Amino acid sequence: MCLLMYLVILLGNSTLIILTLLDSHRHTPMYFFLCNLSFLDIWYTSSFIPSMLIHFLSEKKTISFTRCVVQMSVSYTMGLTECVLLAVMAYDCYIAICNPLRYPIIMNKALCIQMAALSWGLGFLNTLTETILAVQLPFCGRNVINHFVCEILAFVKLACTDIYLNEITIMLVNVIFLFVPLLLIYISYIFIRSTVLRINSAEGRKKVFSTCSAHIMVVIVFYGTILFMYMKPKSKDAAFDKLTALFYGVVTPMLNPIIYSLRNKEVHGAMRNYTARLVLEERMRNLHF
């Protein structure tokens, strides 16, 4: 099941990136950020799913210290980056709906690149700080990680010393990267809602709202899973906690391209045009021969 979902993640996100690159009409801020999200999901899942699948099938479930640190760092960077990126995409929706006449001027190429770079940079720098603090801890004992993957909190709990500083740092970073972007997303949609309600026709309101409906669904799935995972009462059943983390790590990246494809008519059109072009090229090739 995990293998099938991983293949869907690779196929769905790669298709969105390829369609955007091939079609010049989709070289817009929304598709630029969507490509970043798809690229991020591919890297995030590829950092742990292949090794997790191998461990599912092997009796000896071991991982080297270096591989564990790399896996932990990459997955954590991608998770933090996605939090910021979703807030950036909410700002893009806000400008597109609330200030449409100035949208091309405000959301210019330079600003889009800067906002994407800020998302990646914040995720990388925070992960680098926490990783440096984690690898300096002394490890002694069996070093058995009670998780499917090398998750940072499970990793630091293996240390045979006081990890109070690490736990406080992880908690602060999680709170900042979860609630600050979520607050910005919420504020953006307050302004979007007020703009939509001022539109007289129901058809016009529906058309404007559909512009950001895919983003809303992705935010609900992403933040809903994270908030449930971190804010629910501590379960005595460790397996349930692991399955919740697995849902966040595998199912959410799989749903992102599906949601954007189902809710976005332009993606449907691009896929049809690309398929038709391939069929036409194949027919022309056969006709030539």
Side-chain angles (χ1 to χ4, degrees):
M1 185 177 67
C2 288
L3 175 61
L4 288 175
M5 287 192 287
Y6 180 54
L7 293 176
V8 171
I9 290 167
L10 294 179
L11 179 63
N13 286 291
S14 299
T15 301
L16 279 176
I17 293 172
I18 292 169
L19 290 176
T20 302
L21 292 175
L22 290 178
D23 193 344
S24 59
H25 293 96
R26 282 155 188 84
H27 292 176
T28 61
M30 184 188 80
Y31 283 98
F32 172 72
F33 295 128
L34 183 55
C35 280
N36 274 268
L37 183 64
S38 296
F39 182 76
L40 182 152
D41 283 337
I42 290 173
W43 270 96
Y44 173 67
T45 52
S46 297
S47 68
F48 70 90
I49 291 182
S51 63
M52 184 178 70
L53 293 174
I54 294 171
H55 291 156
F56 281 160
L57 299 174
S58 62
E59 293 183 6
K60 192 177 181 182
K61 308 176 193 302
T62 59
I63 187 169
S64 68
F65 182 83
T66 304
R67 280 181 57 208
C68 186
V69 170
V70 171
Q71 184 183 92
M72 174 183 71
S73 302
V74 173
S75 61
Y76 200 51
T77 300
M78 299 301 113
L80 296 178
T81 302
E82 185 161 357
C83 291
V84 183
L85 191 60
L86 288 175
V88 168
M89 295 173 78
Y91 177 75
D92 176 59
C93 286
Y94 158 73
I95 298 296
I97 293 174
C98 299
N99 206 346
L101 296 179
R102 298 193 63 214
Y103 179 77
I105 300 172
I106 297 173
M107 297 302 295
N108 55 67
K109 186 177 180 180
L111 180 63
C112 291
I113 293 173
Q114 289 170 7
M115 293 172 78
L118 178 67
S119 302
W120 288 93
L122 288 174
F124 174 76
L125 290 175
N126 279 278
T127 301
L128 182 64
T129 303
E130 293 196 33
T131 303
I132 291 173
L133 289 174
V135 297
Q136 290 179 342
L137 294 171
F139 295 93
C140 49
R142 295 181 62 215
N143 292 336
V144 178
I145 296 177
N146 188 24
H147 210 289
F148 289 125
V149 297
C150 286
E151 194 262 341
I152 189 162
L153 195 55
F155 179 84
V156 298
K157 284 182 178 179
L158 297 177
C160 48
T161 186
D162 182 32
I163 57 170
Y164 177 76
L165 176 62
N166 299 80
E167 289 182 320
I168 290 295
T169 306
I170 293 170
M171 185 187 72
L172 286 175
V173 168
N174 287 344
V175 168
I176 292 170
F177 273 83
L178 281 176
F179 290 103
V180 172
L182 189 59
L183 178 63
L184 294 176
I185 292 169
Y186 181 71
I187 293 171
S188 297
Y189 277 105
I190 288 176
F191 286 107
I192 290 171
R193 182 177 179 274
S194 64
T195 301
V196 171
L197 291 178
R198 287 200 298 267
I199 300 172
N200 294 324
S201 69
E203 185 64 28
R205 286 196 297 268
K206 183 180 177 182
K207 188 177 291 185
V208 171
F209 181 74
S210 65
T211 305
C212 295
S213 59
H215 179 261
I216 293 172
M217 293 175 69
V218 168
V219 168
I220 291 172
V221 172
F222 180 79
Y223 275 100
T225 309
I226 290 181
L227 293 175
F228 175 78
M229 189 165 57
Y230 285 108
M231 299 186 71
K232 68 177 179 64
K234 193 169 183 180
S235 174
K236 293 181 180 179
D237 186 6
F240 179 75
D241 293 336
K242 293 176 189 175
L243 288 174
T244 306
L246 189 63
F247 181 91
Y248 163 72
V250 180
V251 179
T252 303
M254 181 188 72
L255 291 177
N256 287 350
I258 295 174
I259 291 171
Y260 271 98
S261 298
L262 292 177
R263 300 297 302 172
N264 199 317
K265 293 180 180 179
E266 290 184 2
V267 174
H268 278 294
M271 291 180 71
R272 284 196 300 269
N273 293 339
Y274 183 62
T275 304
R277 191 190 310 168
L278 291 177
V279 171
L280 183 61
E281 289 177 357
E282 183 65 25
R283 287 180 179 175
M284 293 296 291
R285 195 179 297 114
N286 292 337
L287 182 63
H288 175 74
F289 284 115

